[in-house]
Amino acid sequence: MKLKNMRMFGWMAAGLLACSLVFSSPALAAEDGEGPDVPKNIYQWVQSTARQNYYFNRQQMCYAIKNGKIDRNVLIVPTLRTYDDIQIEDVVAKRRWNMEPLDGYDRLAGAAEYLRIDRKAGTVTIERHDDLDGDFATIREESEPVVIKLADLSEKDVEGRFYRAILKYADKHDKALTARTEEKL
């Protein structure tokens, strides 16, 4: 009987330790004010994973302009991701492995991506990716476009959920997006 109780206590202790590690993760805690300070009046939080927080810039989000007219099929969306310590270590390790420069990566805090979401084509184009330091200053910029098909992303896919949340937000805030885009005409 004592051995059974000891095993049960061990499993409970392991479970509590695992919960404390998950819930104390900087990525998950960023919404509670830990990690880089993300201005809530500018950025809309969408989700957190164990390693990243996902935001988009609701003040800069707008429709594309094509031939002097608003194109409601295409959204222009700046996004922000903040990283926890393990994600930062992973990015740095990959750069080291690929023998890429590490200048400024001791201050890495996340990344900004500039998206072009084409509803009609069902694609998300990452037009630019910037690695950011804790002050959200650019450490490195990558301008090689990456095209992602929304249909290829499952409902459970983290990226897919992020992009679909942006589209839902756009649907609910069409008037504000239209007004912001008209200012650019």
Side-chain angles (χ1 to χ4, degrees):
M1 193 72 124
K2 284 186 179 183
L3 182 59
K4 225 180 204 181
N5 287 341
M6 296 274 295
R7 283 186 187 157
M8 187 155 195
F9 177 75
W11 280 108
M12 288 174 48
L16 288 172
L17 177 63
C19 286
S20 70
L21 290 173
V22 168
F23 291 112
S24 68
S25 166
L28 290 175
E31 266 302 287
D32 298 330
E34 293 180 28
D37 188 23
V38 178
K40 292 179 179 23
N41 62 327
I42 297 172
Y43 291 96
Q44 175 70 43
W45 174 83
V46 173
Q47 64 188 357
S48 292
T49 66
R51 302 288 163 246
Q52 299 181 47
N53 295 293
Y54 292 74
Y55 303 86
F56 64 89
N57 187 323
R58 62 178 166 220
Q59 285 189 357
Q60 297 297 314
M61 180 180 181
C62 63
Y63 292 116
I65 298 172
K66 187 175 181 180
N67 300 324
K69 295 185 181 190
I70 295 174
D71 184 355
R72 282 188 171 76
N73 289 316
V74 179
L75 286 165
I76 308 300
V77 188
T79 67
L80 173 67
R81 295 177 192 203
T82 58
Y83 298 157
D84 78 340
D85 291 339
I86 295 172
Q87 181 70 23
I88 291 168
E89 289 173 16
D90 186 47
V91 170
V92 171
K94 284 179 184 173
R95 292 189 64 75
R96 188 175 292 118
W97 177 262
N98 292 321
M99 297 170 59
E100 296 173 319
L102 294 174
D103 297 339
Y105 279 85
D106 57 328
R107 299 181 317 276
L108 180 66
E113 291 184 334
Y114 302 87
L115 308 179
R116 181 179 201 81
I117 303 175
D118 188 327
R119 293 174 192 252
K120 201 176 229 180
T123 59
V124 175
T125 303
I126 302 170
E127 295 188 333
R128 192 171 106 200
H129 173 99
D130 295 348
D131 287 334
L132 305 173
D133 67 15
D135 294 324
F136 300 124
T138 301
I139 298 170
R140 181 190 62 89
E141 177 184 320
E142 187 176 310
S143 297
E144 186 72 30
V146 176
V147 179
I148 301 163
K149 291 184 180 181
L150 283 169
D152 292 346
L153 304 175
S154 75
E155 291 298 317
K156 293 183 179 183
D157 183 271
V158 174
E159 302 297 320
R161 289 192 324 228
F162 182 50
Y163 302 143
R164 288 179 188 99
I166 292 170
L167 289 168
K168 285 180 188 176
Y169 181 91
D171 290 342
K172 290 181 182 177
H173 297 88
D174 176 66
K175 288 182 184 181
L177 293 174
T178 300
R180 185 174 305 121
T181 307
E182 285 174 346
E183 292 173 3
K184 297 176 187 228
L185 287 174

